[in-house]
Amino acid sequence: MSAQPQEPRVQRRRAPIAITIGVVAVLVIAFFAFAGIYADVLWYDQLGFLSVLTTEWIARIVLFIIGFLAMAVPVWGSIQIAYRSRPVYAKLNSQLDRYQEVFEPLRRLAMYGIPVVLGIFAGVSASSRWELTLAWLNRTPFGTTDPQFGFDVGFYVFELPFYRAIVGFASAVVLLSVLLVIATNYLYGALRVSGREVVISKSARIQIAVTAGLYLLLQAVSIWLDQYATVTETGSLITGASYTDVNATIPGRGILAAIAAVVAVLFFITAIMGRWRLPLVGTALLVVSSLLIGSLYPWVIQRFQVDPSARSLEEPYIQRNIDLTRDAYGIADVEEIPFEAETDAAQGALREDAATTASIRLMDPLVIGPAFEQLEQFRQYYEFPSALDVDRYEIDGASQDTVVAVRDVNLSGLGDAETWFNSHLVYTHGYGLVAAAGNQRSVDGQPVFLQSGIPSSGVLGDFEPRVYFGESSPAYSIVGAPKDAKPIELDYPSGSEGADQTQTTFEGNGGPKLDNAFTKLVYALKFQSEQIFLSDQVTTDSQILYDRDPVERVQKVAPYLTLDTDTYPSVVDGKVVWIVDGYTLSDQYPYSNKVSMSDAIADSETQAPTLAFDEVNYIRNSVKATVDAYDGTVTLYAWDEEDPILQTWQKVFPTTIEPMSKMSGDLMSHVRYPSDLFKVQREVLGRYHVTEAVPFYSREDAWTTPKDPTADAASTLLQPPYYLTMKMPGQDEPSYSLYSTFIPEARGEQSRNVLRGYLAVDADAGSADGERADGYGALRLLTLPEDDNVPGPGQVQAKFNSDPTVSQSLNLLKQGQSNVINGNLLTVPVGGGLLYVQPVYVESTGNTSYPLLQKVLVAFGDQIAFQDTLDLALDVLFGGDSGADAGDNEVDPGATPTPPADGETPAEPTAPNDEVQALLNQASQAIKNKQAALAAGDWAAYGAADAQLAEIVAKLIEATKGE
């Protein structure tokens, strides 16, 4: 008996403990949240982009408050009005009585809780639209009008999406309000259903009718706005308003909007007059009208008027689609050049293209990564990316294409030494940029390094080699120390056996300072490491470096940009910088065809990424960004200053983007035309190289990008574009370019793998301070006639693989447990035709092996050659003398023939003299001897014939020098 009264006391004692625990838990959670927020403030402030964070936060908070109030207040007001105007003496059935008994204790909580919960959801939804709202507030006209309504394109890009979002939000508020009003009135008897009769009080009638009228009024506005959306919607034929849209859908939506507005007025009248018949009849009429006018009538027009005469009726709208698509993707000014490709490999055909031939890249950046690792990694805690990058440098007054990579730090290579101290205080950075000549190889097939070693040395000059910010840098590193402190960061190994190491201390401003206990605690919580707070090596002079990937850094300071997937390092003004291309995108450009950007940029080199902005119909390379590899400084340059979307964001973030005029000449010499933009443009040009509506409708000349011929047979991955220095028809001098090819679009299961187009863009921005070269971005499209069956990459690769001489030689290379790797198959417009070049690598199966360039395959027309060097292969292919030296061989400028003067008849070609003819005959016999030796498996005879052929070719070159 005495124990029972103690239970309430125990519960009363436990209550303060539970409250205390709850308060402590809330405070801990709040501090963790605050730590993340404060760390963001420190990060942005150190980088100089705090305004980006604060602008986003202010916009989000303001929109959250607006969204919360815009939802919560009307819903709360609707419930309050319905409750306060409830009938006092309503006769309720027993079921409603039970509902009220259950609900009444929770009434106050529900009447406030429901609006608050809905308001929170609405606030979160509104805050997520901060970019849309800021773009609308700072919108910039495009200066171009759409051909249907005559509005500026900016109306569709900035305004229409915002207005539709506002109307959609308001419709949701009103709809939820009317549903809660009906539920409240029903619960308290203001709305009763008695058999077939619905009894409704006056107050409930007024409230429900007014709310329903507001909802229908909003629907009228929504339907009215929908007619403008027809020019950005994708139909079965084109993106944009077609004949049926212009003549049926658009006027139909205008009529439906008027009907919805009239029905809304009828509901307002009902609130006054009390009769429901008219608004109910009007609502039924609206539903029927939407079916007849909105669906049936357009279907009838399409089926019985358009389909029988589609080509003629749709012609003007298809032409709109063609013109505006080409404008939106920046391909309106592509220069189309009819190209009658030569297919006969005549002697001396490459003489006029000697500079291009000398720049053909033999080092495949997707293949030679292991060579960089084995020859330049030096220690297990360094690494190179599997896919290297292509850049160019001016060396000895000439532009040299290079394959480049940063030697980054790899903490997993530490093994058992991967302690917290080593991982975050000692091994803090990578070291050096390694560059190899793209067109050269050593005697045994290794890359020829132009910049290499530790310490870094080479032809690129002196530069800061330390890489604290790279694509695979550690999650965080703590650097910096007092001036008199002994350095603890590993700079680079200086001993051949790893016994000696050189230490360094970071001296830049690369991250937030850990100069007080509170900041240390914040970052200890952020990275869940008590060592940050406890370590005696973390001093007031320490900095913490994190978010070190260059793409991540640029994305955080420019959230409105979509970034290129191929970021590359360059030595610029005495330091290593990462160059990142940024795009402004839209999917609301009138009449422009929409493409999936992730699908368009996917190929054998770039797997399909997950992009926030996937479907686009407008793209500009508006920003060039750099990230300093030493201190992480991010600089944004306005590259396309005419882009209205960029101008809009410059108004939002006015101090974050530098003008192009501030770019140094050294930086200009390394920026390039971005690959993702080029991929999207080639995707669009596959169809939109046709500029007339009638042939476009028939799709009689649609193209596609060929599949990568070096990939597995079952692969559907496309061949990537390649950077090369070359001279296109229409150019006076070779320039750094990016190119891709086209073959006919598949008809049925297979496509004819013959070339129909060759697209190249001038990717060289020049080297003047703040001034872009005139030719940069010029797109040139070589169009080949349909009756000229120039083989495509797939056909050429198949011919390489099936040729008996080539296959036997490859079998010889595979002996001794070696793998043969086909490099990128390059297509180069030289000699009046298209030359195919493919390096062939051999790699042993050992763990420390790497690919060595051993052979080169070349093809021109139907002829192929397979030799040890590109120079020799070209000479064999072009009748013993191609007319130009490949690779690092110098080309005699005097060998270029002088063109005849106007009106002068060119001299007839002379026949080879007796000595040359004899050597040609000997070369022909040597080739036959090689083939016979291979067929017989006589490798000694094969080697002798190969040596004899090389000697004969050398004699041929010597004999024809004076001719």
Side-chain angles (χ1 to χ4, degrees):
M1 296 291 294
S2 60
Q4 293 179 354
Q6 293 180 0
E7 292 183 2
R9 292 182 182 179
V10 173
Q11 293 177 355
R12 285 195 296 271
R13 291 173 183 174
R14 290 176 178 173
I17 297 175
I19 294 174
T20 302
I21 294 174
V23 170
V24 171
V26 170
L27 290 175
V28 169
I29 294 172
F31 186 75
F32 269 92
F34 171 77
I37 293 172
Y38 185 62
D40 284 342
V41 171
L42 293 176
W43 189 89
Y44 278 92
D45 187 43
Q46 182 277 325
L47 203 55
F49 287 88
L50 184 59
S51 62
V52 174
L53 183 65
T54 55
T55 300
E56 179 181 343
W57 280 359
I58 291 171
R60 284 183 179 273
I61 291 171
V62 170
L63 288 174
F64 178 86
I65 294 172
I66 292 174
F68 177 85
L69 295 177
M71 175 64 78
V73 172
V75 169
W76 176 82
S78 299
I79 296 174
Q80 289 291 328
I81 293 172
Y83 175 73
R84 293 179 184 276
S85 61
R86 71 191 186 282
V88 179
Y89 302 107
K91 295 181 180 180
L92 305 177
N93 56 42
S94 58
Q95 186 175 12
L96 281 178
D97 281 335
R98 288 194 298 271
Y99 287 161
Q100 282 195 11
E101 290 177 4
V102 174
F103 180 73
E104 193 59 29
L106 302 173
R107 176 180 57 81
R108 186 175 296 274
L109 176 63
M111 292 181 68
Y112 288 93
I114 291 175
V116 168
V117 171
L118 292 176
I120 291 173
F121 281 107
V124 171
S125 175
S127 68
S128 67
R129 302 294 186 92
W130 70 274
E131 291 186 71
L132 176 66
T133 304
L134 290 181
W136 173 74
L137 290 172
N138 297 274
R139 58 193 179 274
T140 303
F142 275 65
T144 303
T145 57
D146 82 278
Q148 179 58 39
F149 298 103
F151 292 148
D152 185 87
V153 170
F155 169 77
Y156 300 97
V157 174
F158 300 119
E159 298 182 48
L160 185 58
F162 179 78
Y163 297 148
R164 295 181 79 184
I166 291 295
V167 172
F169 183 89
S171 298
V173 172
V174 175
L175 181 60
L176 288 171
S177 296
V178 74
L179 293 176
L180 290 170
V181 165
I182 293 173
T184 303
N185 282 302
Y186 178 75
L187 183 63
Y188 287 96
L191 177 63
R192 302 192 305 276
V193 179
S194 178
R196 295 184 177 180
E197 184 181 4
V198 178
V199 180
I200 183 171
S201 68
K202 180 180 179 181
S203 59
R205 182 198 73 213
I206 294 173
Q207 188 177 10
I208 293 174
V210 170
T211 309
L214 288 175
Y215 181 77
L216 282 169
L217 200 59
L218 287 169
Q219 297 316 297
V221 175
S222 178
I223 295 170
W224 182 262
L225 293 176
D226 285 346
Q227 65 180 325
Y228 302 123
T230 54
V231 298
T232 60
E233 293 173 346
T234 300
S236 58
L237 181 62
I238 59 171
T239 297
S242 61
Y243 181 90
T244 300
D245 292 324
V246 171
N247 293 278
T249 303
I250 291 175
R253 288 177 178 176
I255 295 171
L256 288 175
I259 295 174
V262 170
V263 176
V265 172
L266 294 179
F267 272 98
F268 294 143
I269 293 174
T270 294
I272 300 172
M273 305 295 295
R275 296 182 179 180
W276 289 94
R277 183 180 301 274
L278 286 178
L280 293 178
V281 170
T283 302
L285 176 63
L286 177 61
V287 173
V288 173
S289 299
S290 65
L291 294 175
L292 294 177
I293 301 175
S295 299
L296 182 61
Y297 180 59
W299 179 83
V300 170
I301 293 295
Q302 180 68 35
R303 182 65 180 271
F304 298 103
Q305 185 174 354
V306 177
D307 288 349
S309 307
R311 191 169 70 174
S312 58
L313 293 179
E314 298 287 17
E315 182 177 352
Y317 308 104
I318 295 174
Q319 195 62 53
R320 291 178 180 180
N321 174 254
I322 293 172
D323 296 339
L324 291 176
T325 296
R326 290 170 66 92
D327 287 339
Y329 288 98
I331 56 176
D333 296 328
V334 60
E335 180 184 359
E336 293 195 20
I337 304 171
F339 190 63
E340 298 281 349
E342 293 287 343
T343 56
D344 294 329
Q347 188 179 36
L350 304 185
R351 195 175 306 279
E352 294 185 3
D353 298 296
T356 297
T357 308
S359 300
I360 294 176
R361 179 173 48 76
L362 298 176
M363 291 291 130
D364 186 345
L366 296 182
V367 173
I368 66 171
F372 273 52
E373 291 178 358
Q374 293 298 323
L375 300 174
E376 287 293 323
Q377 181 173 322
F378 295 119
R379 295 292 185 270
Q380 76 280 2
Y381 46 78
Y382 288 132
E383 72 172 359
F384 288 97
S386 57
L388 309 183
D389 293 297
V390 177
D391 200 0
R392 76 277 190 200
Y393 291 88
E394 185 172 330
I395 299 173
D396 296 331
S399 179
Q400 171 70 62
D401 288 5
T402 58
V403 178
V404 299
V406 159
R407 186 187 293 106
D408 215 336
V409 66
N410 176 20
L411 296 181
S412 62
L414 296 176
D416 295 340
E418 194 178 356
T419 62
W420 182 89
F421 189 91
N422 283 337
S423 299
H424 301 291
L425 299 179
V426 178
Y427 295 90
T428 58
H429 61 279
Y431 192 93
L433 177 140
V434 177
N439 61 341
Q440 301 175 25
R441 68 168 189 177
S442 66
V443 176
D444 58 356
Q446 295 180 5
V448 174
F449 292 106
L450 305 175
Q451 190 75 31
S452 61
I454 296 180
S456 184
S457 63
V459 300
L460 303 188
D462 295 331
F463 60 90
E464 172 56 65
R466 298 166 185 86
V467 178
Y468 284 88
F469 294 84
E471 293 177 306
S472 59
S473 296
Y476 72 93
S477 294
I478 298 175
V479 299
K483 292 183 179 180
D484 56 349
K486 182 179 179 181
I488 62 172
E489 295 178 52
L490 170 70
D491 196 15
Y492 57 85
S494 57
S496 59
E497 299 299 327
D500 297 327
Q501 295 180 346
T502 301
Q503 267 68 38
T504 189
T505 298
F506 179 77
E507 297 179 352
N509 181 20
K513 294 184 180 299
L514 302 176
D515 52 3
N516 59 71
F518 181 74
T519 305
K520 293 179 184 179
L521 179 60
V522 165
Y523 281 103
L525 292 175
K526 178 178 177 61
F527 292 106
Q528 300 181 20
S529 174
E530 71 281 1
Q531 303 288 352
I532 297 176
F533 187 78
L534 299 176
S535 176
D536 58 356
Q537 294 295 328
V538 182
T539 69
T540 56
D541 293 294
S542 296
Q543 302 174 41
I544 184 166
L545 313 181
Y546 63 98
D547 290 345
R548 302 160 75 175
D549 183 275
V551 172
E552 182 180 7
R553 292 178 78 80
V554 175
Q555 191 67 81
K556 290 184 69 171
V557 303
Y560 50 89
L561 294 178
T562 296
L563 303 182
D564 195 274
T565 55
D566 188 12
T567 300
Y568 60 100
S570 289
V571 176
V572 176
D573 298 323
K575 54 189 177 182
V576 177
V577 299
W578 296 93
I579 299 177
V580 185
D581 285 284
Y583 306 111
T584 47
L585 309 172
S586 177
D587 61 352
Q588 296 298 311
Y589 199 95
Y591 276 100
S592 177
N593 184 60
K594 295 181 180 180
V595 301
S596 168
M597 187 168 179
S598 58
D599 290 342
I601 66 178
D603 53 34
S604 62
E605 184 175 329
T606 304
Q607 299 302 314
T610 301
L611 298 175
F613 209 138
D614 189 61
E615 193 173 62
V616 302
N617 68 354
Y618 172 89
I619 182 171
R620 290 292 184 271
N621 177 208
S622 52
V623 171
K624 300 285 187 182
T626 62
V627 178
D628 192 314
Y630 182 73
D631 63 15
T633 299
V634 177
T635 308
L636 307 176
Y637 297 99
W639 188 249
D640 188 347
E641 296 173 330
E642 302 300 320
D643 175 32
I645 299 180
L646 178 63
Q647 292 175 2
T648 295
W649 287 110
Q650 284 180 300
K651 297 175 187 177
V652 178
F653 305 114
T655 62
T656 60
I657 304 177
E658 301 287 348
M660 184 181 66
S661 59
K662 290 194 175 183
M663 297 177 69
S664 70
D666 200 8
L667 176 58
M668 294 291 288
S669 68
H670 289 284
V671 300
R672 66 191 188 190
Y673 200 84
S675 59
D676 283 355
L677 172 60
F678 185 76
K679 292 176 186 179
V680 172
Q681 289 175 325
R682 75 173 179 181
E683 168 76 13
V684 175
L685 274 171
R687 288 190 62 191
Y688 287 87
H689 68 278
V690 179
T691 58
E692 300 295 330
V694 172
F696 180 90
Y697 176 81
S698 302
R699 297 192 71 166
E700 59 189 41
D701 194 24
W703 299 341
T704 188
T705 305
K707 297 180 178 62
D708 190 342
T710 64
D712 296 335
S715 174
T716 59
L717 297 175
L718 302 181
Q719 185 179 37
Y722 296 117
Y723 288 99
L724 288 176
T725 295
M726 62 183 181
K727 184 175 73 173
M728 284 281 288
Q731 287 183 291
D732 296 328
E733 298 292 337
S735 68
Y736 190 64
S737 305
L738 182 64
Y739 86 87
S740 186
T741 58
F742 292 106
I743 61 174
E745 190 175 72
R747 294 288 188 267
E749 295 183 359
Q750 293 185 344
S751 172
R752 295 178 61 222
N753 205 289
V754 293
L755 281 189
R756 284 291 170 262
Y758 184 97
L759 178 67
V761 62
D762 190 338
D764 189 358
S767 57
D769 292 343
E771 184 178 345
R772 187 167 46 224
D774 292 337
Y776 174 86
L779 288 160
R780 295 177 176 86
L781 177 63
L782 305 183
T783 57
L784 283 73
E786 291 192 10
D787 58 351
D788 192 358
N789 292 325
V790 176
Q795 279 189 4
V796 172
Q797 188 67 62
K799 190 164 187 177
F800 284 161
N801 296 339
S802 61
D803 184 87
T805 303
V806 173
S807 60
Q808 291 175 12
S809 298
L810 293 179
N811 289 333
L812 178 63
L813 293 174
K814 292 177 183 178
Q815 289 188 351
Q817 296 183 337
S818 296
N819 296 324
V820 174
I821 302 171
N822 288 328
N824 42 209
L825 181 58
L826 305 177
T827 312
V828 190
V830 291
L834 292 165
L835 172 71
Y836 286 95
V837 178
Q838 183 175 55
V840 178
Y841 301 85
V842 176
E843 181 181 21
S844 67
T845 55
N847 293 331
T848 59
S849 62
Y850 55 90
L852 296 172
L853 178 58
Q854 295 295 302
K855 293 284 186 179
V856 179
L857 282 160
V858 292
F860 193 90
D862 293 330
Q863 304 167 68
I864 68 172
F866 185 47
Q867 297 297 325
D868 294 339
T869 66
L870 176 58
D871 206 21
L872 184 58
L874 292 177
D875 283 335
V876 171
L877 184 65
F878 288 92
D881 182 12
S882 66
D885 293 333
D888 55 355
N889 294 329
E890 295 182 358
V891 177
D892 182 6
T896 303
T898 303
D902 293 341
E904 181 181 344
T905 303
E908 290 291 329
T910 58
N913 57 39
D914 293 341
E915 180 186 3
V916 171
Q917 186 61 58
L919 289 172
L920 288 174
N921 295 338
Q922 293 175 23
S924 176
Q925 185 59 47
I927 293 174
K928 294 178 181 178
N929 293 341
K930 282 182 64 177
Q931 294 175 345
L934 278 174
D938 189 347
W939 308 124
Y942 175 87
D946 188 58
Q948 181 186 12
L949 179 62
E951 182 181 353
I952 294 170
V953 170
K955 291 180 180 179
L956 271 169
I957 295 173
E958 186 66 30
T960 56
K961 275 187 176 180
E963 297 183 6

